[in-house]
Amino acid sequence: MFQLEGKRIWVTGHRGMVGGAIVRRLARENSEIVTIERSELDLRRQDQVEAFVSGERLDGVIIAAGKVGGILANDRAPAEFLYDNLLIEANVIDAAHRAGVEKLLFLGSSCIYPKNAAQPINEDALMTGALEPTNEWYALAKIAGVKLCQAYRKQYGCDFISAMPTNLYGPGDNFDLDSSHVLPALLRKAHIAKQNRDAALTLWGSGASRREFLHVDDCADALVLLLKSYSVAEPVNVGSGEDLSILELARLVSEVVGYRGAIVHDLSKPDGTPRKLLDIQKLLSMGWTPSITLREGIEATYRWFCDSHPEVRAA
Ligand SMILES: NC(=O)C1=CN([C@@H]2O[C@H](COP(=O)(O)OP(=O)(O)OC[C@H]3O[C@@H](n4cnc5c(N)ncnc54)[C@H](OP(=O)(O)O)[C@@H]3O)[C@@H](O)[C@H]2O)C=CC1
Ligand SMILES: C[C@H]1O[C@H](OP(=O)(O)OP(=O)(O)OC[C@H]2O[C@@H](n3cnc4c(=O)[nH]c(N)nc43)[C@H](O)[C@@H]2O)[C@@H](O)[C@@H](O)C1=O
């Protein structure tokens, strides 16, 4: 058991969607939260990371920093998705070991599993088949992160663990239509289509792919539980346990936004993995359950989007 009270926990990527949610959740644990801006510390620079970590007397580290993006961003920038993620995790994990950090939590992703893994995907499916080509670069980097945690545990006895979140959404998400994930993209598209009274909204791909979504606050809650009470080499899946097709998601988002036009398909865009539903039995057996339904989460995220993007609010 890793008691959080009074502990100094460094949340990397605190300005991002997941890091921000972890900071909000950790505030309830009476820990001392350590953060540093990217402009002051580029996590790809080993000397900078070592100097920072050795001077901070950290008890715990959460690696929520990373190069992140949707299906097209991954496909278009394989070099950065592989290089940035490899360097960030390698630098932070090694520096944490050298500084004697007691607990470290690394965030992987559901895309580390084989493209055609049996559903729901158990943690044991890791490295049992070929990866999805659109995000294999990012997935490979994330697999290396899991393996680094396992290697430092095996060789040095470090209590370094990994969690594999499913597709996340919520406040702080990226709503840029080129680089975002599907849920924020659809919220923006439906909002604009409603404002412009467009006859149709365009989905990428066939809409037949299935995805599981988890609100980022539920994810942060699960991650804090794991940080406190999970000390095993094998990664843990973090999901909602339910999935739907992208077309069903587009209909749900349209309903929440109040857009009543048609949905059409851009078949020049990739579908990606056909299905990615995580087996979350391991996490459920620890007493965690998700608390935000997909509809509630989309409604809240839509409100956040309108409040934080004044350029789209009034039109
Ligand atoms: N979003 C999702 O659906 C999922 C996310 N994850 C994982 O969760 C983690 C966080 O994702 P998410 O919050 O969505 O992503 P965001 O893009 O919202 O946040 C990423 C954060 O990492 C920081 N960062 C990136 N590169 C560097 C660098 N070189 N040096 C310092 N900081 C850096 C960014 O800093 P800045 O803000 O200054 O740019 C940002 O704060 C990632 O590891 C991701 O793989 C896993 C599964 C699903
Ligand atoms: C979290 C996870 O996220 C990524 O994997 P992904 O789940 O395939 O990503 P996505 O959310 O971008 O798309 C999901 C599905 O939705 C379809 N889709 C329809 N219309 C839009 C659309 O407008 N935008 C986007 N982005 N997708 C759309 C799209 O064609 C696909 O079928 C990787 O980064 C991966 O590395 C990773 O970790």
Side-chain angles (χ1 to χ4, degrees):
M1 191 78 183
F2 177 62
Q3 298 290 349
L4 282 169
E5 187 155 358
K7 295 282 173 68
R8 281 173 64 75
I9 313 293
W10 179 28
V11 181
T12 73
H14 69 286
R15 293 183 67 238
M17 177 175 71
V18 179
I22 294 171
V23 168
R24 290 195 295 277
R25 177 61 187 79
L26 272 181
R28 290 168 25 206
E29 299 287 335
N30 293 325
S31 351
E32 204 182 322
I33 302 165
V34 177
T35 60
I36 180 163
E37 300 296 317
R38 182 183 190 158
S39 53
E40 292 175 57
L41 175 60
D42 182 343
L43 296 172
R44 295 170 302 181
R45 304 284 170 255
Q46 186 187 24
D47 52 344
Q48 292 180 19
V49 174
E50 265 187 25
F52 175 76
V53 173
S54 65
E56 283 292 327
R57 293 178 295 100
L58 301 168
D59 301 299
V61 174
I62 303 178
I63 308 184
K67 171 78 181 164
V68 180
I71 193 164
L72 219 56
N74 270 267
D75 206 26
R76 285 178 177 164
E80 275 96 42
F81 275 86
L82 182 54
Y83 180 83
D84 287 18
N85 286 307
L86 278 175
L87 288 195
I88 290 170
E89 69 209 20
N91 290 340
V92 175
I93 289 169
D94 186 66
H97 154 61
R98 286 173 192 278
V101 167
E102 189 183 340
K103 188 87 185 229
L104 177 144
L105 169 59
F106 169 70
L107 295 191
S109 162
S110 58
C111 74
I112 65 165
Y113 294 116
K115 175 175 181 149
N116 295 314
Q119 309 284 321
I121 310 173
N122 188 270
E123 289 89 351
D124 293 343
L126 187 61
M127 293 178 65
T128 57
L131 298 166
E132 154 62 29
T134 52
N135 57 35
E136 65 177 319
W137 323 95
Y138 171 81
L140 268 170
K142 292 290 182 181
I143 292 171
V146 173
K147 290 292 162 191
L148 275 169
C149 289
Q150 292 176 345
Y152 279 76
R153 175 180 292 276
K154 182 174 154 79
Q155 188 173 341
Y156 299 113
C158 299
D159 191 2
F160 293 178
I161 60 169
S162 309
M164 299 306 118
T166 193
N167 289 38
L168 305 171
Y169 71 97
D173 212 340
N174 167 18
F175 285 82
D176 172 75
L177 289 181
D178 283 332
S179 60
S180 66
H181 291 103
V182 61
L183 199 151
L186 290 180
L187 272 174
R188 185 178 203 122
K189 284 180 177 178
H191 181 79
I192 291 169
K194 181 186 165 190
Q195 283 181 338
N196 295 344
R197 296 188 167 78
D198 289 339
L201 167 164
T202 305
L203 266 193
W204 292 354
S206 69
S209 295
R210 299 183 69 84
R211 292 289 183 273
E212 175 190 24
F213 295 94
L214 181 69
H215 191 279
V216 71
D217 288 342
D218 273 339
C219 179
D221 197 48
L223 296 175
V224 168
L225 173 68
L226 293 172
L227 189 68
K228 285 198 239 183
S229 51
Y230 188 78
S231 291
V232 179
E234 282 68 44
V236 185
N237 290 340
V238 178
S240 61
E242 291 172 6
D243 69 352
L244 77 175
S245 74
I246 295 300
L247 182 56
E248 288 166 338
L249 176 72
R251 290 191 178 127
L252 179 57
V253 167
S254 298
E255 229 177 277
V256 169
V257 172
Y259 171 66
R260 293 186 183 78
I263 293 169
V264 297
H265 300 270
D266 174 357
L267 295 176
S268 71
K269 298 288 195 306
D271 269 343
T273 309
R275 195 176 182 200
K276 257 199 303 193
L277 176 64
L278 293 177
D279 177 348
I280 56 165
Q281 282 313 313
K282 208 190 248 188
L283 188 57
L284 294 178
S285 72
M286 294 175 67
W288 175 88
T289 45
S291 65
I292 304 168
T293 65
L294 183 57
R295 177 181 286 272
E296 287 166 356
I298 292 174
E299 286 169 354
T301 306
Y302 182 46
R303 286 194 294 275
W304 185 89
F305 169 65
C306 292
D307 290 347
S308 56
H309 292 71
E311 77 282 4
V312 297
R313 193 170 49 196

